[in-house]
Amino acid sequence: MTKAFTQADEALHITLPGFALELCAIPAGLLRCGSESGRDDERPVRDISIDAFRLGRTQVTNAQYDRFVEATAHETAPFRAEPAFSAPD
């Protein structure tokens, strides 16, 4: 489902068993990226149109992610069991 929203939209609160998540509205706009003096793959400077989206106010912890997977039966990310992605909780 796609929903258009404006900068005035309030935060969206999602509650799943064991944790809550707050998503903030990020308005659509232009992102200027690139560099005239950077590497070849950074040129040219250009404007990219970004659709509005929502972003978590805080990072999701590994424990929260694990509860999400358990609550939704979502497929676990293939790298989740790798030590570099397992700690800290």
Side-chain angles (χ1 to χ4, degrees):
M1 178 175 105
T2 302
K3 175 187 180 285
F5 49 88
T6 67
Q7 190 171 5
D9 282 347
E10 295 183 19
L12 174 65
H13 297 270
I14 298 173
T15 303
L16 292 174
F19 76 97
L21 182 64
E22 182 179 358
L23 299 176
C24 302
I26 308 297
L30 290 178
L31 170 67
R32 178 159 285 216
C33 63
S35 171
E36 292 300 342
S37 61
R39 299 184 318 244
D40 288 345
D41 63 349
E42 296 174 333
R43 289 180 268 195
V45 173
R46 60 209 172 273
D47 290 334
I48 298 175
S49 178
I50 304 292
D51 292 335
F53 64 98
R54 292 194 181 270
L55 181 68
R57 185 173 295 280
T58 61
Q59 295 177 345
V60 174
T61 67
N62 287 330
Q64 288 172 320
Y65 176 75
D66 291 340
R67 287 194 294 272
F68 162 78
V69 169
E70 184 177 322
T72 64
H74 194 276
E75 185 177 335
T76 303
F79 53 80
R80 177 64 182 98
E82 293 179 22
F85 294 99
S86 297
D89 192 35

